[in-house]
Every structure is written in C-alpha cells, then in structure tokens.
Amino acid sequence: MPASASISASSSHHRASPDLLVRLGSTDPEVKLRALREVKNQIIGNRTKKLSFLKLGAVPAVAAALDAAQSELLVQSAAALGSFACGFDAGVRAVLDAGAFPNLISLLSYPDEKVVDAGARSLRMIYQSKLAPKYDFLQVENMEFLLSLLSSENETVTGLGASIIIHSCQTDIEQNALCHAGVLKKLINLLEGSLSQRDASLESLATIMKDNPEAASKFVSESGRALSSVIDLTKDRYPRTRMLACRCLIVMRNTSPCHLQDIGIKTKLVYLLLELLDDPGQVGEEASFVFSSLIAQKEDLQKLAFKANALDKLHNQLLNYSSHPRRFQGILLVLADLCSNLESCRSRFLSLKALKLVADALTNDNADVRAAACICLRSVSRSIKDLSAGHFTNEVIVIPLVRLLHDPCTSVQVAALGAIGNIVVDFTTHKSTFVKCGGLKLLVQLSKSMDPTMRLKALWALKNLTFLADNTCKEGILSELTTPLLSSLICDPEASVQVQALALVRNLVDGCINSVEYAFAENDIILDAIGRQLQSASKAEIGIQGMYVLSNIASGNEFHKDAVHQVGL
Amino acid sequence: MSLFWIVIRRLAEIEAMATSKKVITKEEWEKKLNDVKIRKEDMNKLVMNFLVTEGYVDAAEKFRMESGTEPDIDLATITDRMAVKKAVQCGNVEDAIEKVNDLNPEILDTNPQLFFHLQQQRLIELIRHGKVEEALEFAQEELAPRGEENQSFLEELERTVSLLAFEDVSNCPVGELLDISQRLKTASEVNAAILTSQSHEKDPKLPSLLKMLIWAQNQLDEKAAYPHINDLSTATLEDPAI
C-alpha cells in the first residue's frame, strides 16, 4: 500500500475527546451506541485512557445509558463501566458515584442472556475492589439473591456470587449465615464445574472456613466428596487452581487441625507450594504467602520444609525476584517463618550468604519489602550462636536498620525495632557500632512515641541494649534516656510497656555496685516509681520484673539494702 | 494413543532383557498392535478436541454429525474466535481488538502482555504501510505509557520503533517483525487467551501425543530394532533396519 494512504479518519487512538462526551449523550441510539463502543474499545487494557476519560467526566455519561431499553446499549454500557472498574480503584469509585450499581444489579434479571452476562461481569469487577459496597448477607432477600446467583447456568453469574462472598464475608456470624443458608452445598457443586467456577469456589470456601471451625466441619460433613474434591484439585493441571486448592486446605487445617491430620498431606502441601513458587506470574507470588500461612508457628511443618530444601530454593528466588516487590516480600516472610524456631534453618540461611541479600532489602523502595526484611532479620537473629559470633552487628546491617527507625511508614519502624531488639542483645564489644550510628538516640525518641506498640518495642530494644552492658554504655543510655523519662515509662498507661521499663531498670542496676547507684539518681525517683508500681501491680509480670529490680539493688551495700526495706513491701 | 502405550510397554519389556539389540519384525509388531483395543470414542474425542481447539468449525460440525461426538465447547464461539484470529493474520489488528472486546472485555483488561502485543502489531502494520507520522503518534500515545509500566515492554517498543530508522526494512536487524510469522505469533497468542477465558485448554492434545510417540521411539531405538514410524502423516510402519 502506498504511503499516501495516510492518516485514516477512523483511527481511534486519539485522546479522550469532549466531542465523544456529546455523542454519548445523543438521543440517536445509533450515535450513542457507536460512542459507547468507542469508549469501551479505547479504555480496555489502557490505564492512561481510563484516567483521562474519568477526568473528562465520561463515567456518568456511560452509566446514563443503563436506563436504555435496547439490549445492545445496555451491553456496551455495562462493558465500559466494567472496564473502568477493572483493577482501577478510581474507576470503581467513579462508577459507584455515578449511581450505576443498582442499575447493574437489575441487569441480572434481564431476559437477554448477553445483557445478564455483561452486567454480571461488570459487577464482578467492582466486587474485586475494596471499594465495593459491603453485601449484607444477614438480610433474607439478599441471601436468596446470592443463592440464585450461585445456582445460575451462566458462568459469569456464578462467578459474581463467589466474588461477593470473597469480598463481603468477614465475621463468623456472616460465615455461619452462609453455611446455614446452604451456600456450602452450592460451592461444592461448583468444584465440579468449569475452570473459572472451580477457582471461584475454592476461594469462596477458604473465605467461609477461615478461623471458623464450625464452618470447616460443616464443609467436611456436607458431602463425603467435598474434602476429597479439594484434595484432587491440588493436582489440577492449572497452577492457579492448584494454588487455590492448597490455600483452601491450609485454611481448613489452620482453622481445625483435626481435619487433614496425616503426615502425607502435610508433606504434599510443602512440595506442592515449593513447586508453585516457580511460577513466574501471579500464582508464584501468591504461593509464597500461602506457604507462609502453612508453616507460620508450626515447627513440624518448618522441619518438613527444611528437609525439602526450601531454604536453597528461597535463596534462589531472592536472587531472581528482587525487582518484584510483592514476590520479594512474600519470600522474605517465608524465610522469616522458616528461621523463627529452627537453628538448622538459621545456619543454612547464613551459609547460603542470604544475609547480604536481606540486608540489601532493608533499603528497598517498597515499604512492605523493608518491613519483611526486618521481620526476617529478627527471626534469623534469634540464634544465640550467631549473635555471639557478631554476624549481625556489622555496619552493613546496623546502619540501614537504624535508619529505618525514622522510616515514614509505622509498620517498618515497628519491624525494625523488633530486629534491633534482638541484634543489640548481649555482646558489649559490638554495641558501639549501634550507638555510634545514632541508634540509641532514635530508640529513646521512639520510646516517647504516642503509639504504644512503638514505645513497647523501643523499650524492648533498649532493655536488650542494657543487658550485660559495661558502665560507659549504661551511662550513655541513661543520660540519653534521662531519669525522669524512665520513671514515667515505669508508670506508663500500658502494662506491657511498664514491664519492659522495669526490665530495663533491672538490667541497668545489674552487675557491679556502681550500677546499683543508677536507681538512686535524682532523688530516688526511679525507685519511688517502682515502689508505686509494685503496690498496684495489675499484672504478675510487673511484680516479677519489679522484684528482680529490688533483688538486684539489694545485692549492693548496706545503704542499698535499707532503701529496698523502705520501699515498704 | 495406543501406539504410545505399546511402545512404552515394549520399552519396559526390552529393558529387562539382555543388552544386545533385539530385532522385531514387522509381522510380530503388527500382531502386537492388533492385540491392543482402543475405544473408538476416545479416538473421536481426540479428533474433536483438535478440530475445536484449532478452530475448524465446519469440520467439527460435520464430524459431530458423522461420529456423534459432542464438542466440549459451544461451536458458535469458535466462529467468533476464528474471526479474531483471521483479522490479526490479515493485519486488521484494530478490528481484532474490537472483536475480542465484544467477545469478552475482560481478556485484554486482565492480560497486559497480550494487549501490548496487539498494540505492537498495530504499530508494525502502520510502519509496514509507510504511515510514519501516524506510527510515531501511535507509539507515543498508546505504547509509550505501557512501556512505562513494564521494562520488557519498553525494550520491545524500542525494537519496533527502530524499524522506522531503516530505509530497507526487509533487510534490517529487526526485519523479522514485519514477517508474516510475527502476525501468526500474535494471532496464536490471542487465540490461546480466548480459549483460556472460555475455560478451554489452549493447546490440542494430539500434537503432544505425537511428541510423546517420537520420544518413546527414540528411547526404544537404543534397545531394539523395530518397525519405525517416520512419516507421522501416514503413520506407515517401516521395516526395521538391521
């Protein structure tokens, strides 16, 4: 074709134009239909276009077409609205603000199957966003409607029913209501359906059974095949289905350990998930979080994972996926779970030189990754052996970690405090690195935070920093912290903070006789505060820590012993 | 399907035997083949699966009437899918995109890679027809934002735009983008995505069975001389070479 064929007038890749808005509002159905199709075809797959049409105010104009009588207009309008809402929260908000929601719902009872399909698809997009309105399952007519969706012949409509459950079922009251209304039975039927129905059903089942033993046992007793169908689906040919089936089983297991007792299924789940981690896409990403939920706080499963060479695999993943924030976060969390109890895992972790990779992650651009790296460090640094060897107190780790103490994101600060709390334990020679790079100052600052968790964690770290510290170090800590602040923390409104403050004093006055003097600085205000706390102790732990403080003080000279007597207990 | 299992079984038998190569004559081999009974329905299903997946709708319809084999998908959807595939193969990418969106608007909204490849194909077609200005505008408006979202898209975009820098595109390092095979690649990607959205497997079963047959023959070759199938289209058994 010659070059002169030049720019065709029909090319639709021009910017969102105001003219289009006029045509959307046309009274001529032909013009309107073309305009709707044009909007739809321009925005599908194209975030930039969605945004520019949104700014132009196209959403209300598109939504207005839902009042039309012609099926084709309804289909195009619903499809365009669905695309605005697809993976784009601003779009969801605009669609809801335009009042399209009830109109989309009413499309579901339309006689034309194409209209029903388009309406259901749009609603499903909306329900995939957190912004979707919460569905009230406790109203009888709503529950009936949901059941009718789940019984539909149309795959998109059953998918919508599942999306509603996944989005809106949160409390155990709602879970039980769904069970009693017979939703489990419907979902079990869908396990035999098409690919998308199976996936939707697995996800809904996990939502309904999560932390609800009653729902889990109802599911098992509902039909003899229910549980075995889910187990079969862990061998499905589609990775996403396998992942969702694993997740469903793990939710069940974590909810009521009495189901899925045998060691066979545990080992199988470990191997399945390790394999799913290899998936380069979203499935692999999700698999890490599912894996974490399988092994978190379960030493037996951590052992199985260790035997299955999980650490080597995860180490490889750390190398390959450092530029994929969500996946990177997931892998770090799995490593954290693996190293939380077992020394064998920690030593394998260190021998793989994974520590350097985690240290690098402390400066990642993504806050979730930084927090996950801290959580991972905390787990690994539980090893007394490696702490003693000083593996964690070098500048590569301590400096970025201290920087995270003034991270803009609270969850990162809290996680960093957790890691620091372990790392500063015990080993006098290494403490200077931490203090030199400003760690002490920041900990003291955070111990004045308004956030009780932050105060708690900061004091925890300070307490560990004081543990077996030499006098210079202790003096440094107290002069930074100040006696009045310490005594006010002993009387903090939060009991858990009081415990940590007392434990800090206990470490402070431990050791040589000079140390005991710290309790008597500035007119004994620390000792007075302790006395008051002990008399009104609301928690046994407060009493225990207080008594330790007193016994440490009493190990001093006569004057110190007298002072303890005068506390008057 | 049966051939595959026979070969596997033979393989197991022979493995248990001595190391010297055993010779199996055509008569012996055929006799063994005759002993294996395969259900006709299974063969028919295999054929139907192939016709449906590859989109031979007329053939599938005829085959359904003649053999009574029910397809596992609504035959009407095949026509739509083939229309999309054909549009890409002819270079009418915009038309193809509209057709996919009519079929199921979710496909391109949830599949950024496929969407990018279709837009890239559109760009290639503009360049092919010498519409330089339009191509540049299109690359800037439509493709550049996708490149910002994804590094690998950016690299592909740069490669595509570099077509504009060559006088003789048929003879340049990125010339293969203009090749018909590029259209076919994009077309088969769309075809696969539509099939997946219809909960259907994206590849027919028959080719993988043939691959398994070749693999099994290669394994068996090390142990025995037997009638080989060399021409898969006729499946003629050839006398063992001794």
Side-chain angles (χ1 to χ4, degrees):
Chain A
M1 207 183 281
S4 61
S6 93
I7 302 169
S8 66
S10 69
S11 77
S12 59
H13 56 264
H14 38 62
R15 290 192 181 88
S17 70
D19 154 63
L20 190 54
L21 215 56
V22 176
R23 284 187 284 132
L24 279 175
S26 167
T27 46
D28 180 350
E30 275 301 307
V31 176
K32 206 187 186 87
L33 183 64
R34 269 203 303 276
L36 282 170
R37 278 181 60 89
E38 201 177 321
V39 173
K40 181 191 80 174
N41 285 320
Q42 286 205 44
I43 63 171
I44 286 180
N46 194 329
R47 223 185 148 79
T48 344
K49 286 273 174 66
K50 285 180 195 183
L51 194 63
S52 63
F53 272 109
L54 206 71
K55 285 183 181 154
L56 203 66
V59 176
V62 172
L66 288 180
D67 292 333
Q70 296 98 318
S71 295
E72 194 49 25
L73 283 176
L74 295 174
V75 168
Q76 296 302 328
S77 165
L81 292 172
S83 179
F84 274 117
C86 179
F88 185 52
D89 274 348
V92 176
R93 191 172 296 122
V95 171
L96 294 174
D97 288 348
F101 194 78
N103 290 341
L104 286 170
I105 295 270
S106 63
L107 294 188
L108 298 178
S109 38
Y110 218 77
D112 185 336
E113 194 57 28
K114 274 196 161 166
V115 176
V116 176
D117 199 65
R121 206 181 290 284
S122 270
L123 286 164
R124 213 181 53 198
M125 294 292 182
I126 294 174
Y127 270 109
Q128 272 160 19
S129 158
K130 285 193 189 72
L131 297 173
K134 191 166 157 57
Y135 194 86
D136 185 0
F137 300 109
L138 304 179
Q139 287 191 16
V140 182
E141 64 274 19
N142 280 358
M143 189 63 90
E144 278 167 8
F145 185 64
L146 178 69
L147 285 169
S148 75
L149 295 180
L150 292 173
S151 321
S152 167
E153 293 283 306
N154 182 318
E155 235 179 83
T156 321
V157 176
T158 48
L160 169 63
S163 296
I164 292 177
I165 296 173
I166 296 160
H167 174 273
S168 288
C169 174
Q170 279 147 351
T171 65
D172 54 349
I173 299 172
E174 288 160 340
Q175 290 170 324
N176 293 337
L178 288 169
C179 291
H180 293 143
V183 167
L184 288 177
K185 203 178 218 109
K186 302 268 179 214
L187 291 173
I188 292 167
N189 290 340
L190 290 178
L191 287 177
E192 318 277 326
S194 72
L195 168 67
S196 73
Q197 289 177 321
R198 291 198 303 260
D199 287 1
S201 167
L202 287 169
E203 222 177 329
S204 307
L205 285 169
T207 309
I208 297 176
M209 290 190 283
K210 190 168 193 319
D211 299 327
N212 189 330
E214 198 185 323
S217 57
K218 186 139 198 311
F219 169 76
V220 175
S221 60
E222 187 68 59
S223 109
R225 298 199 18 77
L227 183 57
S228 61
S229 309
V230 179
I231 294 176
D232 284 347
L233 287 175
T234 61
K235 291 172 250 163
D236 195 84
R237 58 185 299 148
Y238 291 96
R240 188 174 153 73
T241 308
R242 292 205 293 277
M243 189 266 290
L244 291 171
C246 287
R247 199 172 79 184
C248 189
L249 291 176
I250 292 166
V251 163
M252 277 183 73
R253 215 187 109 75
N254 290 349
T255 301
S256 17
C258 59
H259 311 301
L260 303 168
Q261 268 296 353
D262 69 310
I263 180 115
I265 191 92
K266 285 197 279 191
T267 319
K268 224 182 265 168
L269 283 171
V270 167
Y271 279 95
L272 271 166
L273 285 164
L274 282 174
E275 192 196 303
L276 285 167
L277 280 177
D278 284 334
D279 182 282
Q282 216 202 339
V283 171
E285 201 173 283
E286 286 306 310
S288 58
F289 292 90
V290 177
F291 195 30
S292 164
S293 70
L294 173 68
I295 61 170
Q297 290 158 27
K298 297 203 174 54
E299 208 172 302
D300 53 339
L301 280 149
Q302 290 161 11
K303 272 189 192 138
L304 286 174
F306 177 71
K307 278 190 204 139
N309 270 335
L311 279 147
D312 294 60
K313 170 155 236 161
L314 291 162
H315 172 247
N316 274 333
Q317 299 242 329
L318 275 187
L319 289 169
N320 295 336
Y321 288 104
S322 57
S323 57
H324 297 66
R326 190 163 156 76
R327 186 185 274 259
F328 201 39
Q329 179 203 5
I331 300 163
L332 287 166
L333 291 177
V334 176
L335 281 169
D337 290 322
L338 274 172
C339 295
S340 61
N341 295 318
L342 299 175
E343 193 63 26
S344 51
C345 287
R346 294 178 197 135
S347 75
R348 183 78 194 132
F349 175 91
L350 287 175
S351 71
L352 286 166
K353 310 230 180 315
L355 189 59
K356 172 79 177 70
L357 300 171
V358 177
D360 290 344
L362 291 173
T363 52
N364 194 288
D365 289 337
N366 183 293
D368 291 331
V369 171
R370 295 196 297 274
C374 291
I375 295 170
C376 184
L377 266 181
R378 187 182 71 166
S379 279
V380 183
S381 61
R382 281 179 182 163
S383 161
I384 304 287
K385 192 182 89 198
D386 296 315
L387 272 176
S388 320
H391 283 142
F392 310 105
T393 37
N394 52 50
E395 290 171 358
V396 185
I397 290 173
V398 172
I399 292 178
L401 207 48
V402 167
R403 270 196 204 124
L404 291 184
L405 290 179
H406 34 209
D407 196 276
C409 182
T410 321
S411 62
V412 177
Q413 285 180 303
V414 170
L417 282 170
I420 287 174
N422 281 351
I423 285 171
V424 295
V425 164
D426 201 341
F427 312 101
T428 345
T429 46
H430 306 296
K431 281 177 183 166
S432 60
T433 330
F434 180 76
V435 178
K436 257 187 233 150
C437 68
L440 173 60
K441 264 198 171 59
L442 284 167
L443 284 184
V444 170
Q445 239 171 54
L446 290 174
S447 69
K448 296 181 232 172
S449 162
M450 296 295 285
D451 179 349
T453 323
M454 204 81 88
R455 290 202 301 279
L456 173 70
K457 297 264 179 175
L459 273 180
W460 196 303
L462 280 169
K463 168 194 81 176
N464 286 349
L465 187 66
T466 321
F467 179 62
L468 294 184
D470 61 20
N471 258 333
T472 346
C473 185
K474 282 184 185 172
E475 256 162 46
I477 294 168
L478 193 62
S479 78
E480 196 62 50
L481 191 62
T482 74
T483 315
L485 175 60
L486 184 53
S487 57
S488 81
L489 284 168
I490 293 171
C491 307
D492 193 273
E494 292 292 324
S496 53
V497 177
Q498 297 169 16
V499 173
Q500 293 308 315
L502 286 167
L504 195 163
V505 180
R506 168 187 167 190
N507 286 346
L508 201 61
V509 298
D510 176 47
C512 67
I513 218 147
N514 289 346
S515 300
V516 180
E517 288 295 333
Y518 294 122
F520 297 90
E522 306 196 26
N523 292 327
D524 310 349
I525 53 173
I526 291 181
L527 198 59
D528 290 346
I530 295 171
R532 259 177 284 137
Q533 278 310 329
L534 280 177
Q535 268 149 16
S536 59
S538 57
K539 238 169 110 178
E541 189 58 23
I542 296 176
I544 295 169
Q545 292 300 333
M547 296 308 277
Y548 272 124
V549 175
L550 293 183
S551 68
N552 278 351
I553 296 174
S555 69
N557 57 31
E558 283 310 310
F559 169 74
H560 298 144
K561 289 188 208 302
D562 281 349
V564 172
H565 280 301
Q566 273 156 32
V567 170
L569 288 168
Chain B
M1 211 169 338
S2 63
L3 277 181
F4 175 70
W5 292 117
I6 297 164
V7 176
I8 288 282
R9 200 174 305 151
R10 289 296 305 153
L11 185 64
E13 282 171 25
I14 290 163
E15 209 147 22
M17 291 191 304
T19 44
S20 68
K21 269 199 184 185
K22 187 183 173 178
V23 178
I24 306 159
T25 65
K26 203 166 161 182
E27 288 69 38
E28 287 175 294
W29 193 252
E30 275 177 340
K31 196 167 158 285
K32 283 184 186 297
L33 285 181
N34 286 335
D35 287 346
V36 182
K37 299 276 170 279
I38 321 147
R39 293 187 343 141
K40 180 113 178 143
E41 292 90 326
D42 289 340
M43 295 296 264
N44 285 346
K45 271 192 201 156
L46 202 57
V47 173
M48 182 56 101
N49 170 275
F50 179 79
L51 295 175
V52 162
T53 315
E54 291 294 313
Y56 300 112
V57 62
D58 294 339
E61 183 59 48
K62 281 225 171 67
F63 188 66
R64 186 176 72 96
M65 292 195 298
E66 282 174 16
S67 70
T69 311
E70 281 304 318
D72 50 359
I73 199 166
D74 180 6
L75 287 181
T77 65
I78 303 179
T79 318
D80 296 333
R81 177 161 54 91
M82 284 307 108
V84 175
K85 199 172 164 185
K86 201 165 165 214
V88 180
Q89 282 168 349
C90 302
N92 300 326
V93 188
E94 195 178 343
D95 185 36
I97 292 178
E98 289 183 11
K99 285 194 161 80
V100 178
N101 289 344
D102 281 338
L103 210 55
N104 178 348
E106 244 174 291
I107 296 174
L108 296 182
D109 242 340
T110 52
N111 204 334
Q113 174 147 324
L114 173 63
F115 182 68
F116 177 82
H117 284 152
L118 281 167
Q119 297 286 60
Q120 181 191 26
Q121 192 65 46
R122 260 176 98 177
L123 178 62
I124 292 170
E125 300 306 334
L126 288 172
I127 295 173
R128 190 196 311 279
H129 294 125
K131 300 178 183 174
V132 176
E133 255 181 72
E134 206 184 334
L136 280 173
E137 195 198 342
F138 183 75
Q140 224 165 5
E141 288 283 320
E142 299 283 337
L143 286 161
R146 307 287 83 75
E148 278 169 36
E149 289 159 12
N150 184 316
Q151 180 64 30
S152 67
F153 292 171
L154 188 63
E155 283 160 24
E156 278 190 70
L157 173 59
E158 284 168 351
R159 225 164 71 85
T160 316
V161 172
S162 71
L163 278 175
L164 288 167
F166 295 97
E167 288 271 322
D168 177 14
V169 281
S170 59
N171 205 3
C172 79
V174 288
E176 83 262 13
L177 287 174
L178 286 170
D179 214 72
I180 202 72
S181 65
Q182 181 70 23
R183 280 186 183 171
L184 297 182
K185 210 168 96 185
T186 314
S188 92
E189 204 183 330
V190 188
N191 186 51
I194 298 175
L195 279 169
T196 307
S197 79
Q198 292 166 345
S199 293
H200 196 280
E201 281 151 35
K202 60 186 196 305
D203 300 308
K205 295 183 203 297
L206 199 54
S208 29
L209 270 175
L210 292 179
K211 277 186 205 155
M212 282 196 255
L213 173 72
I214 292 169
W215 176 84
Q217 286 197 142
N218 288 341
Q219 296 288 308
L220 191 52
D221 281 343
E222 291 172 17
K223 317 274 178 183
Y226 61 96
H228 223 263
I229 298 180
N230 290 327
D231 183 354
L232 289 175
S233 58
T234 58
T236 328
L237 290 174
E238 284 168 31
D239 282 320
I242 305 162

